Amino acid sequence: MRSMRGFAIAGAMFLCLAASPGAEGDAVDRIVAEGLRSDGAYRKLAWLTDRIGPRLSGSENLEKAIAWGAEEMKRDKLDRVWTEKVMVPHWVRGEASGKILAPTEHPLVLLALGMSDGTPADGITAEVVEVTNLDEVKALGDKAKGKIVLFNHRIYPNGTDERGYGFASGLRYSGASAAAKAGAVGMFIRSLATADLRLPHTGAMAYEEGVPHVPAAAISPEDAELIHRLLESGETVKVSFRQTCKTLPDAESANTLGEIRGSEKPDDVVIVSGHLDSWDVGTGAQDDGAGVAIAMEAIRLIRALDLKPKRTIRAVLWTNEENGLRGGKAYAEAHGAELAQHVAAIESDSGGARPLGFGINAGPGGADTLRKLAAPLASFAADDVRDGGGGADISPMGDAGVPTVGLRQDGTHYFDIHHTMADTLDKVDSHDLAMNATAMAVMAWQLANLDPPLPRYVPTKKEDTSRPPGIRR
């Protein structure tokens, strides 16, 4: 069965560990041994995805997930479990459809982008003009007026710079306003996909203040390529599309928190976290149900082994990462006076595939320290530490100097199904998930006992608010 895949070899992997001296090493070895043979993270993820489902901000399902998360951490016997109110955006997808009308008819597979306005009731019919970046939109001049601008930009597995998700997500986020400034009546974007599966990928966009709102949708890579070929052959391409999405008043939600109190320095805090909200397509298994299950299982392992960290270890299940980052911002504001005593924050928000190691933003020497702490994870190749890391939800804490740490996974296939109907539990391997939870638990335990703690992070530049929430930094 997939849910137990790999657990038979966990004991053998543990025997490969180099013994660590002293009580600290004994605790790490116990975490690794217990973590690698546990399917607790997978069981949590299965309940979240199969029994609750998609969890968009403002939805009933997200509130069910918040209640479940709190009850689950109480069942895990954490010292304290509570929620903290956050007001979040409430966007409703509705329905969407489209087709190519000329030079020949073809159906379009599309999804409205998150936070987009809907079309008029009878839809929009217009010609298409194609670009690959924001500068090309500006150069269109009158050619964009009355048309739909298609951003046709391909991304690649593990791509960097303009070949990766980070660059293209900026097009998705800002493309509608760029198109509107040029006089367009709508915006399409080639789905930010690393696999061509006739599958549209949604994601967040935003409108600039003072710029007309034009409806925005993602179309499948295959449809983007078809339009490209028709345009390249000199044809005029006309399409129609309709979507009924709308934005309602903000809704009440919450961050969900649970902690093991520190035995010596209880006011000092190490965060482990993932975001509980997801898009309304699929069931949010990889993004970011996996991260939630990893964080919850990491703190459960430490509790179940009756380990007593010097500092408090706090799990936070963030609300509203996908289309607003309200949970991360609200936490940093509510706990602003305490952030000087937050010694580290860890987030997992890159799926549940095999763990590779960590990325870190900290002061001088922080990465070298983390490499030493990650050494026990070499037995399952999760010990690679790189400068630069964290996560969207913990980035507001980073602005206050808190060292931020991101759990890194193999991302080769992450964007194949990211933000799609295919983001479901069957894409997650239980043993990969167990290795991730083990890695996070080992790192959180050691950071909670590290003296002196990691050097404080000094941000080099102000957060770029033009970038969408959830961008991998």
Side-chain angles (χ1 to χ4, degrees), residues 87-385:
M87 298 302 294
V88 299
H90 188 186
W91 178 81
V92 179
R93 176 173 300 282
E95 300 176 348
S97 60
K99 61 181 178 180
I100 298 173
L101 300 174
T104 183
E105 288 197 5
H106 289 276
L108 284 174
V109 182
L110 59 82
L111 277 176
L113 294 182
M115 308 307 292
S116 174
D117 284 3
T119 63
D122 57 352
I124 290 174
T125 299
E127 294 177 11
V128 178
V129 60
E130 181 185 33
V131 297
T132 61
N133 58 54
L134 296 174
D135 288 336
E136 289 182 9
V137 179
K138 296 176 183 177
L140 285 174
D142 291 342
K143 295 179 182 177
K145 287 185 177 179
K147 296 185 173 65
I148 295 169
V149 172
L150 165 63
F151 288 87
N152 193 356
H153 182 92
R154 187 184 186 96
I155 66 170
Y156 297 85
N158 301 313
T160 58
D161 300 322
E162 292 191 7
R163 293 171 62 86
Y165 174 81
F167 175 85
S169 60
L171 304 180
R172 184 189 68 208
Y173 192 72
S174 304
S177 288
K181 289 177 183 177
V185 295
M187 174 268 208
F188 286 166
I189 187 166
R190 178 194 183 119
S191 285
L192 306 191
T194 48
D196 295 349
L197 302 171
R198 201 84 198 278
L199 192 63
H201 296 228
T202 191
M205 57 81 64
Y207 293 112
E208 286 185 35
E209 187 174 349
V211 177
H213 291 195
V214 300
I219 64 174
S220 72
E222 293 88 344
D223 290 337
E225 284 296 306
L226 172 59
I227 291 172
H228 170 77
R229 291 193 299 272
L230 294 172
L231 290 171
E232 195 172 47
S233 69
E235 300 277 8
T236 296
V237 176
K238 181 179 286 189
V239 305
S240 68
F241 79 109
R242 178 178 177 270
Q243 56 191 40
T244 61
C245 46
K246 58 184 177 181
T247 300
L248 302 177
D250 285 358
E252 183 175 329
S253 187
N255 290 326
T256 311
L257 304 91
E259 66 183 24
I260 300 170
R261 293 290 288 171
S263 60
E264 297 180 16
K265 301 177 179 179
D267 293 333
D268 288 2
V269 177
V270 173
I271 298 285
V272 294
S273 66
H275 69 83
L276 196 51
D277 66 304
S278 75
W279 283 109
D280 54 327
V281 290
T283 57
Q286 293 275 21
D287 188 18
D288 185 35
V292 165
I294 289 164
M296 293 175 74
E297 175 68 358
I299 199 169
R300 187 204 68 81
L301 285 169
I302 294 168
R303 167 55 81 212
L305 292 167
D306 199 28
L307 297 173
K308 310 292 186 185
K310 292 180 181 178
R311 298 178 178 87
T312 293
I313 299 175
R314 179 178 295 166
V316 184
L317 315 182
W318 308 105
T319 193
N320 184 230
E321 185 272 350
E322 293 292 359
N323 59 334
L325 206 63
R326 300 275 186 90
K329 292 175 180 177
Y331 181 93
E333 182 177 352
H335 296 267
E338 308 157 26
L339 292 184
Q341 291 177 283
H342 281 52
V343 299
I346 311 173
E347 182 168 11
S348 178
D349 186 16
S350 296
R354 181 175 63 84
L356 304 178
F358 298 88
I360 180 172
N361 282 329
D368 289 336
T369 297
L370 210 71
R371 289 186 183 98
K372 295 175 184 176
L373 300 183
L377 305 176
S379 65
F380 52 96
D383 60 325
D384 182 43
V385 173

